[in-house]
Amino acid sequence: MPVLEPNPQNGQKTLLTILGVMLGITAVIAVIASLAAR
């Protein structure tokens, strides 16, 4: 379990950043997979 943010007003920004990173990693994996499938 991740440690809670010390300042809660920054929590949503951190959550959005984590979601963005996860989406970016997913996109990179999808591109690599589609290239590897050729």
Side-chain angles (χ1 to χ4, degrees):
M1 290 291 291
V3 184
L4 244 65
E5 284 279 310
N7 35 356
Q9 76 269 16
N10 224 5
Q12 192 146 14
K13 189 179 170 212
T14 305
L15 191 68
L16 284 171
T17 305
I18 293 169
L19 282 172
V21 169
M22 284 171 59
L23 280 171
I25 292 170
T26 305
V28 169
I29 291 171
V31 169
I32 293 170
S34 64
L35 287 174
R38 291 185 178 186

Short mmCIF file of all heavy atoms in Angstrom, two decimals:
data_model
loop_
_atom_site.label_atom_id
_atom_site.label_comp_id
_atom_site.label_asym_id
_atom_site.label_seq_id
_atom_site.Cartn_x
_atom_site.Cartn_y
_atom_site.Cartn_z
N MET A 1 0.85 -1.20 0.00
CA MET A 1 0.00 0.00 0.00
C MET A 1 0.88 1.25 0.00
O MET A 1 1.81 1.34 0.80
CB MET A 1 -0.89 0.03 1.25
CG MET A 1 -1.98 -1.03 1.24
SD MET A 1 -3.24 -0.68 0.01
CE MET A 1 -3.97 0.77 0.75
N PRO A 2 0.59 2.20 -0.87
CA PRO A 2 1.41 3.42 -0.89
C PRO A 2 1.13 4.31 0.31
O PRO A 2 0.03 4.31 0.85
CB PRO A 2 0.98 4.12 -2.18
CG PRO A 2 -0.39 3.60 -2.46
CD PRO A 2 -0.44 2.21 -1.88
N VAL A 3 2.14 5.05 0.72
CA VAL A 3 1.97 5.98 1.85
C VAL A 3 1.11 7.14 1.40
O VAL A 3 1.23 7.64 0.28
CB VAL A 3 3.34 6.47 2.33
CG1 VAL A 3 3.19 7.36 3.57
CG2 VAL A 3 4.25 5.28 2.63
N LEU A 4 0.21 7.58 2.30
CA LEU A 4 -0.68 8.70 1.96
C LEU A 4 0.12 9.98 1.78
O LEU A 4 1.15 10.18 2.43
CB LEU A 4 -1.71 8.89 3.08
CG LEU A 4 -3.15 8.63 2.65
CD1 LEU A 4 -3.32 7.17 2.27
CD2 LEU A 4 -4.11 8.99 3.77
N GLU A 5 -0.37 10.85 0.91
CA GLU A 5 0.31 12.12 0.69
C GLU A 5 0.25 12.97 1.96
O GLU A 5 -0.79 13.03 2.61
CB GLU A 5 -0.38 12.88 -0.46
CG GLU A 5 -0.05 12.33 -1.82
CD GLU A 5 1.29 12.85 -2.32
OE1 GLU A 5 1.53 14.06 -2.29
OE2 GLU A 5 2.11 12.01 -2.70
N PRO A 6 1.34 13.64 2.30
CA PRO A 6 1.31 14.49 3.50
C PRO A 6 0.33 15.65 3.37
O PRO A 6 -0.29 16.05 4.34
CB PRO A 6 2.75 15.04 3.60
CG PRO A 6 3.57 14.18 2.69
CD PRO A 6 2.63 13.64 1.65
N ASN A 7 0.19 16.18 2.14
CA ASN A 7 -0.75 17.30 1.94
C ASN A 7 -1.89 16.79 1.06
O ASN A 7 -1.70 16.56 -0.14
CB ASN A 7 -0.06 18.51 1.31
CG ASN A 7 1.01 18.10 0.32
OD1 ASN A 7 1.29 16.92 0.14
ND2 ASN A 7 1.60 19.07 -0.35
N PRO A 8 -3.09 16.63 1.61
CA PRO A 8 -4.22 16.04 0.85
C PRO A 8 -4.63 16.87 -0.35
O PRO A 8 -5.17 16.33 -1.30
CB PRO A 8 -5.35 15.97 1.89
CG PRO A 8 -4.68 16.10 3.23
CD PRO A 8 -3.43 16.91 2.99
N GLN A 9 -4.41 18.18 -0.33
CA GLN A 9 -4.86 19.00 -1.46
C GLN A 9 -4.07 18.67 -2.73
O GLN A 9 -4.47 19.04 -3.81
CB GLN A 9 -4.72 20.49 -1.13
CG GLN A 9 -3.29 21.01 -1.19
CD GLN A 9 -2.61 20.92 0.16
OE1 GLN A 9 -3.09 20.22 1.04
NE2 GLN A 9 -1.50 21.61 0.32
N ASN A 10 -2.96 17.97 -2.57
CA ASN A 10 -2.16 17.59 -3.73
C ASN A 10 -2.49 16.17 -4.20
O ASN A 10 -1.94 15.70 -5.17
CB ASN A 10 -0.67 17.65 -3.35
CG ASN A 10 0.15 18.33 -4.45
OD1 ASN A 10 -0.40 18.83 -5.42
ND2 ASN A 10 1.45 18.33 -4.30
N GLY A 11 -3.39 15.48 -3.47
CA GLY A 11 -3.67 14.08 -3.76
C GLY A 11 -4.23 13.86 -5.15
O GLY A 11 -3.86 12.93 -5.83
N GLN A 12 -5.16 14.73 -5.58
CA GLN A 12 -5.80 14.53 -6.89
C GLN A 12 -4.77 14.69 -8.01
O GLN A 12 -4.79 13.94 -8.98
CB GLN A 12 -6.94 15.54 -7.06
CG GLN A 12 -7.82 15.20 -8.26
CD GLN A 12 -9.27 15.57 -8.01
OE1 GLN A 12 -9.56 16.28 -7.07
NE2 GLN A 12 -10.17 15.09 -8.85
N LYS A 13 -3.89 15.67 -7.87
CA LYS A 13 -2.87 15.87 -8.91
C LYS A 13 -1.96 14.65 -9.00
O LYS A 13 -1.62 14.20 -10.09
CB LYS A 13 -2.05 17.12 -8.56
CG LYS A 13 -1.11 17.52 -9.68
CD LYS A 13 -0.35 18.79 -9.28
CE LYS A 13 0.77 19.03 -10.30
NZ LYS A 13 1.93 19.66 -9.68
N THR A 14 -1.59 14.11 -7.84
CA THR A 14 -0.75 12.91 -7.85
C THR A 14 -1.49 11.75 -8.50
O THR A 14 -0.91 11.00 -9.28
CB THR A 14 -0.36 12.55 -6.41
OG1 THR A 14 0.26 13.69 -5.81
CG2 THR A 14 0.60 11.39 -6.36
N LEU A 15 -2.77 11.61 -8.18
CA LEU A 15 -3.56 10.52 -8.76
C LEU A 15 -3.63 10.67 -10.28
O LEU A 15 -3.47 9.69 -11.02
CB LEU A 15 -4.97 10.54 -8.16
CG LEU A 15 -5.83 9.31 -8.45
CD1 LEU A 15 -5.26 8.09 -7.74
CD2 LEU A 15 -7.26 9.54 -7.99
N LEU A 16 -3.85 11.90 -10.75
CA LEU A 16 -3.91 12.12 -12.20
C LEU A 16 -2.56 11.82 -12.85
O LEU A 16 -2.50 11.25 -13.94
CB LEU A 16 -4.30 13.58 -12.47
CG LEU A 16 -5.78 13.90 -12.26
CD1 LEU A 16 -6.01 15.41 -12.34
CD2 LEU A 16 -6.65 13.19 -13.27
N THR A 17 -1.48 12.18 -12.16
CA THR A 17 -0.15 11.89 -12.72
C THR A 17 0.07 10.40 -12.83
O THR A 17 0.56 9.90 -13.85
CB THR A 17 0.93 12.53 -11.83
OG1 THR A 17 0.65 13.92 -11.69
CG2 THR A 17 2.31 12.34 -12.43
N ILE A 18 -0.30 9.66 -11.77
CA ILE A 18 -0.13 8.20 -11.79
C ILE A 18 -0.97 7.60 -12.91
O ILE A 18 -0.50 6.72 -13.65
CB ILE A 18 -0.50 7.61 -10.42
CG1 ILE A 18 0.51 8.07 -9.36
CG2 ILE A 18 -0.56 6.09 -10.49
CD1 ILE A 18 0.07 7.75 -7.96
N LEU A 19 -2.21 8.07 -13.07
CA LEU A 19 -3.07 7.55 -14.14
C LEU A 19 -2.45 7.85 -15.51
O LEU A 19 -2.47 7.01 -16.40
CB LEU A 19 -4.47 8.18 -14.03
CG LEU A 19 -5.36 7.58 -12.94
CD1 LEU A 19 -6.62 8.41 -12.79
CD2 LEU A 19 -5.71 6.14 -13.26
N GLY A 20 -1.92 9.06 -15.67
CA GLY A 20 -1.30 9.42 -16.94
C GLY A 20 -0.10 8.54 -17.25
O GLY A 20 0.08 8.10 -18.38
N VAL A 21 0.72 8.28 -16.22
CA VAL A 21 1.89 7.42 -16.43
C VAL A 21 1.44 6.01 -16.81
O VAL A 21 2.01 5.40 -17.72
CB VAL A 21 2.76 7.40 -15.16
CG1 VAL A 21 3.82 6.32 -15.24
CG2 VAL A 21 3.40 8.76 -14.95
N MET A 22 0.41 5.51 -16.12
CA MET A 22 -0.08 4.16 -16.44
C MET A 22 -0.60 4.11 -17.87
O MET A 22 -0.35 3.13 -18.60
CB MET A 22 -1.19 3.77 -15.45
CG MET A 22 -0.65 3.39 -14.08
SD MET A 22 -1.94 3.18 -12.86
CE MET A 22 -2.92 1.88 -13.60
N LEU A 23 -1.34 5.15 -18.29
CA LEU A 23 -1.85 5.17 -19.66
C LEU A 23 -0.69 5.24 -20.66
O LEU A 23 -0.73 4.57 -21.70
CB LEU A 23 -2.76 6.39 -19.85
CG LEU A 23 -4.19 6.21 -19.32
CD1 LEU A 23 -4.93 7.54 -19.35
CD2 LEU A 23 -4.95 5.17 -20.13
N GLY A 24 0.32 6.03 -20.34
CA GLY A 24 1.47 6.14 -21.23
C GLY A 24 2.20 4.82 -21.37
O GLY A 24 2.55 4.41 -22.48
N ILE A 25 2.40 4.11 -20.24
CA ILE A 25 3.08 2.81 -20.30
C ILE A 25 2.24 1.83 -21.11
O ILE A 25 2.77 1.07 -21.93
CB ILE A 25 3.32 2.29 -18.87
CG1 ILE A 25 4.37 3.17 -18.17
CG2 ILE A 25 3.78 0.84 -18.89
CD1 ILE A 25 4.48 2.89 -16.69
N THR A 26 0.92 1.86 -20.90
CA THR A 26 0.04 0.96 -21.66
C THR A 26 0.15 1.24 -23.16
O THR A 26 0.21 0.32 -23.97
CB THR A 26 -1.41 1.14 -21.19
OG1 THR A 26 -1.46 0.94 -19.77
CG2 THR A 26 -2.33 0.13 -21.87
N ALA A 27 0.19 2.52 -23.53
CA ALA A 27 0.30 2.87 -24.95
C ALA A 27 1.63 2.38 -25.53
O ALA A 27 1.67 1.86 -26.64
CB ALA A 27 0.16 4.39 -25.11
N VAL A 28 2.71 2.56 -24.77
CA VAL A 28 4.02 2.11 -25.26
C VAL A 28 4.02 0.59 -25.45
O VAL A 28 4.50 0.08 -26.47
CB VAL A 28 5.12 2.54 -24.27
CG1 VAL A 28 6.45 1.86 -24.60
CG2 VAL A 28 5.28 4.06 -24.29
N ILE A 29 3.45 -0.14 -24.48
CA ILE A 29 3.40 -1.60 -24.59
C ILE A 29 2.55 -2.00 -25.80
O ILE A 29 2.90 -2.92 -26.54
CB ILE A 29 2.85 -2.21 -23.29
CG1 ILE A 29 3.87 -2.02 -22.17
CG2 ILE A 29 2.52 -3.68 -23.48
CD1 ILE A 29 3.33 -2.40 -20.80
N ALA A 30 1.45 -1.29 -26.03
CA ALA A 30 0.58 -1.62 -27.17
C ALA A 30 1.33 -1.40 -28.48
O ALA A 30 1.22 -2.21 -29.41
CB ALA A 30 -0.68 -0.76 -27.12
N VAL A 31 2.11 -0.31 -28.59
CA VAL A 31 2.86 -0.05 -29.81
C VAL A 31 3.91 -1.13 -30.03
O VAL A 31 4.06 -1.66 -31.13
CB VAL A 31 3.51 1.35 -29.73
CG1 VAL A 31 4.53 1.54 -30.87
CG2 VAL A 31 2.44 2.43 -29.78
N ILE A 32 4.63 -1.49 -28.95
CA ILE A 32 5.65 -2.55 -29.08
C ILE A 32 5.00 -3.86 -29.48
O ILE A 32 5.52 -4.59 -30.34
CB ILE A 32 6.44 -2.67 -27.76
CG1 ILE A 32 7.25 -1.39 -27.53
CG2 ILE A 32 7.34 -3.89 -27.77
CD1 ILE A 32 7.86 -1.33 -26.13
N ALA A 33 3.86 -4.18 -28.88
CA ALA A 33 3.19 -5.43 -29.19
C ALA A 33 2.74 -5.46 -30.65
O ALA A 33 2.87 -6.47 -31.34
CB ALA A 33 2.00 -5.63 -28.26
N SER A 34 2.19 -4.33 -31.13
CA SER A 34 1.72 -4.31 -32.52
C SER A 34 2.90 -4.42 -33.48
O SER A 34 2.80 -5.03 -34.54
CB SER A 34 0.93 -3.04 -32.78
OG SER A 34 1.76 -1.91 -32.64
N LEU A 35 4.04 -3.84 -33.13
CA LEU A 35 5.23 -3.96 -33.99
C LEU A 35 5.76 -5.39 -33.95
O LEU A 35 6.16 -5.94 -34.98
CB LEU A 35 6.31 -2.98 -33.52
CG LEU A 35 6.04 -1.51 -33.82
CD1 LEU A 35 7.13 -0.64 -33.17
CD2 LEU A 35 5.99 -1.26 -35.31
N ALA A 36 5.72 -6.02 -32.78
CA ALA A 36 6.24 -7.36 -32.66
C ALA A 36 5.32 -8.36 -33.37
O ALA A 36 5.77 -9.42 -33.80
CB ALA A 36 6.36 -7.73 -31.18
N ALA A 37 4.04 -8.02 -33.51
CA ALA A 37 3.09 -8.95 -34.12
C ALA A 37 3.27 -9.01 -35.64
O ALA A 37 2.71 -9.89 -36.28
CB ALA A 37 1.65 -8.53 -33.78
N ARG A 38 4.02 -8.07 -36.22
CA ARG A 38 4.17 -8.08 -37.69
C ARG A 38 5.01 -9.25 -38.10
O ARG A 38 6.15 -9.27 -38.16
CB ARG A 38 4.81 -6.76 -38.13
CG ARG A 38 3.83 -5.61 -37.92
CD ARG A 38 4.38 -4.31 -38.47
NE ARG A 38 3.38 -3.27 -38.28
CZ ARG A 38 3.53 -2.04 -38.77
NH1 ARG A 38 4.62 -1.72 -39.44
NH2 ARG A 38 2.61 -1.15 -38.57
#
